[in-house]
Amino acid sequence: MGDEAGRVLLHQYDPFTTSITAASTAGPGNTADLVLDVVKIGTDTSGILTLTTPDNPGGVPMASATVAGAPLPAPSMGVSSLAIAMQGLAKTLSQCFALPVAQRALERDTSIPEALGGSSVTRAAAPCEALTDPGFLHNGFNAGQYFYSSFTSNSMTGAQFSVPQVMQLIPGGIGGRDAAIINARFLDANGLAGNYITVAVNKATGTSTPNWVVYGNQHPVNVQVRSSIRRQQQMAPVTQPAFAAASLSTYQTGIEVFINKDGPGSTNLTAARVTGPGLPPKGLILNRPIASAEPQQSWLNIADKSGGDPGVVAGQRTNCNCDIFFLQRTQDVAGAGASTVRSNPNNANSNSGQFVDWAHPLDYGAATGTPSNEFVPFDKIVAGATYKVELFYGGSSTPTHTFNKTLLSPIIPATQGAKLAWNAPAQAALDLLDPTNALAAAASALTVSWIQHPAAEQIRLAQIFARSSTGTVN
């Protein structure tokens, strides 16, 4: 549908007399549904309700008894044409995954090294091939690699897809073409939720009818910049001498910079530099971990935040297991302590570099002792914030690849952590941490269980770490 047709539909829409017909894989929705696809209600980092559109992810505050509202600028007409294109994509996804594995993954190659993207479906059924443009590349994966696990999984047969959400529109984002970050959600055959977050581009030129295709972000390496908040619950009796140095219960929030050291484009990758909102002005430099200390770690570690030379920092390896730059923490996870800021490490002294993965007042030009809520610019670390990524190879100080990543959700202050929904560990899991419980005895395998909160994210990975007297991971 062209822009002019979309303009006519919106002009004719009367919100008071028009019922809503939702788009689905069976057919398109009406204009009322199109408006809901374009205008979203969210919150800012202070918890104030906002109205946003895909080309204005920061949005404007909604009027309330305490907050003055602001007019929301009209979105570009490309947004409405994109919403309609997403309805077609949902239909194609459903057609592809209605087929059994043998009919959708016709040929596959499992011999491709991980550093070249790994296993790939090299020939797929027609509706599966139609999901992406021939030039698709996302974080170093071609389409057959990006969808490999889904194309070859029996649990994806009959998966149910919703119309993909347009998360952000980026004018001229890829090769001068308008680009959009999209989120395609689904339920697999077992009722488990999943999603694909990738990029669509408008390949039409000039005033031609928009032609949106799934194209990927065209980045050569698997890099993710994401918001992070964790609930760290300490079960050990920290008042006893043996546990006096144990970490306290806390909410911690930060910016995760995941750079896959083994995936596509990783051969001879020695360092990376990331700059952007919320990070120290000179950015973060990451390097490879000490292989003998962290043999299973697949990501680069944060190694410098003071503007070091990437070629030099590449050789200063650590075993910190750190790819999250923490910004703030609370005094506890319950009671008044859950909403009270706890000082960041070394906050009161000038040794800002000892904890390289933690924000320090001096990193931001503030005086020592300044609490994190006064120097961390949470109002700048919002959905749509852009981060520059530079990748260095062979110990060089000159980047080989440079591209931008977009933050898809805002950084939530740690003091807001108690307001979020969290999954709770089941009692049997807690018993594993009790030295007096039989379940805490040495075992070749452990069963971990939790109580899923309906409003919380699903747990996709559970890990158990133990440390010996030498500090190595068992």
Side-chain angles (χ1 to χ4, degrees):
M1 178 177 292
D3 285 353
E4 186 61 34
R7 190 177 290 111
V8 170
L9 280 175
L10 292 174
H11 175 72
Q12 295 174 343
Y13 170 59
D14 184 341
F16 300 103
T17 62
T18 308
S19 61
I20 298 175
T21 301
S24 69
T25 56
N30 63 356
T31 307
D33 180 62
L34 180 59
V35 171
L36 294 180
D37 286 337
V38 171
V39 180
K40 304 293 182 185
I41 296 176
T43 58
D44 65 12
T45 55
S46 301
I48 297 172
L49 288 175
T50 59
L51 279 177
T52 69
T53 57
D55 54 351
N56 183 11
V60 297
M62 294 179 64
S64 69
T66 57
V67 178
L72 178 66
S76 69
M77 289 308 299
V79 172
S80 60
S81 66
L82 178 57
I84 294 170
M86 291 302 97
Q87 297 173 11
L89 176 58
K91 184 175 182 179
T92 305
L93 282 164
S94 294
Q95 291 172 340
C96 170
F97 288 100
L99 301 171
V101 170
Q103 293 181 30
R104 65 174 181 262
L106 303 179
E107 295 179 7
R108 60 182 87 177
D109 185 350
T110 59
S111 67
I112 303 173
E114 187 178 355
L116 296 178
S119 298
S120 176
V121 172
T122 54
R123 188 167 70 91
C128 302
E129 296 277 6
L131 288 174
T132 61
D133 184 85
F136 178 94
L137 183 72
H138 191 84
N139 288 340
F141 300 101
N142 63 35
Q145 294 167 330
Y146 182 81
F147 287 104
Y148 181 83
S149 61
S150 296
F151 282 173
T152 59
S153 171
N154 286 319
S155 66
M156 284 298 294
T157 302
Q160 301 177 37
F161 289 85
S162 59
V163 175
Q165 174 194 3
V166 179
M167 303 185 74
Q168 185 180 1
L169 180 69
I170 308 172
I174 295 182
R177 297 187 176 112
D178 289 350
I181 301 172
I182 61 174
N183 182 11
R185 298 186 179 94
F186 61 83
L187 292 176
D188 69 10
N190 298 317
L192 297 179
N195 67 317
Y196 309 118
I197 296 179
T198 186
V199 176
V201 300
N202 180 10
K203 298 192 75 173
T205 58
T207 58
S208 302
T209 301
N211 177 27
W212 290 97
V213 297
V214 179
Y215 198 57
N217 57 24
Q218 299 297 301
H219 296 163
V221 177
N222 188 3
V223 178
Q224 312 279 349
V225 178
R226 299 178 283 217
S227 58
S228 172
I229 184 166
R230 66 168 56 171
R231 184 179 192 268
Q232 181 174 298
Q233 187 174 357
Q234 177 59 259
M235 304 303 297
V238 294
T239 56
Q240 296 182 17
F243 301 101
S247 300
L248 299 175
S249 294
T250 184
Y251 290 109
Q252 290 182 188
T253 193
I255 303 171
E256 180 187 8
V257 181
F258 174 85
I259 301 176
N260 193 323
K261 71 177 183 64
D262 303 316
S266 65
T267 300
N268 213 23
L269 173 65
T270 50
R273 180 166 54 210
V274 180
T275 53
L279 299 178
K282 296 180 180 179
L284 304 176
I285 298 179
L286 299 91
N287 64 11
R288 289 181 172 269
I290 299 173
S292 60
E294 303 285 358
Q296 295 179 318
Q297 182 175 324
S298 62
W299 55 88
L300 300 186
N301 281 331
I302 298 171
D304 179 270
K305 61 176 179 175
S306 59
D309 184 330
V312 175
V313 176
Q316 300 170 346
R317 300 187 179 186
T318 69
N319 62 346
C320 69
N321 189 32
C322 53
D323 67 336
I324 301 175
F325 186 71
F326 289 110
L327 300 169
Q328 188 179 77
R329 59 183 177 178
T330 63
Q331 294 183 1
D332 205 338
V333 295
S339 57
T340 305
V341 171
R342 179 186 174 198
S343 294
N344 288 356
N346 282 2
N347 187 76
N349 64 55
S350 60
N351 188 1
S352 62
Q354 181 178 359
F355 298 95
V356 72
D357 58 332
W358 272 94
H360 188 280
L362 295 181
D363 297 338
Y364 303 83
T368 56
T370 304
S372 59
N373 56 305
E374 294 183 19
F375 68 80
V376 175
F378 284 107
D379 60 329
K380 305 295 183 184
I381 321 172
V382 297
T386 300
Y387 293 80
K388 180 182 178 182
V389 177
E390 299 169 279
L391 302 178
F392 303 83
Y393 291 76
S396 174
S397 299
T398 302
T400 299
H401 301 300
T402 301
F403 49 87
N404 292 332
K405 304 297 287 191
T406 301
L407 193 67
L408 298 181
S409 57
I411 301 296
I412 300 173
T415 51
Q416 301 293 313
K419 299 179 181 179
L420 302 177
W422 298 89
N423 298 315
Q427 185 58 49
L430 296 178
D431 288 343
L432 295 172
L433 306 176
D434 181 357
T436 65
N437 194 290
L439 292 177
S444 58
L446 299 172
T447 299
V448 179
S449 56
W450 55 88
I451 302 168
Q452 176 69 46
H453 191 292
E457 289 189 35
Q458 285 193 322
I459 293 177
R460 300 187 182 186
L461 176 67
Q463 294 178 301
I464 295 178
F465 294 93
R467 292 189 179 271
S468 68
S469 58
T470 60
T472 57
V473 177
N474 295 332

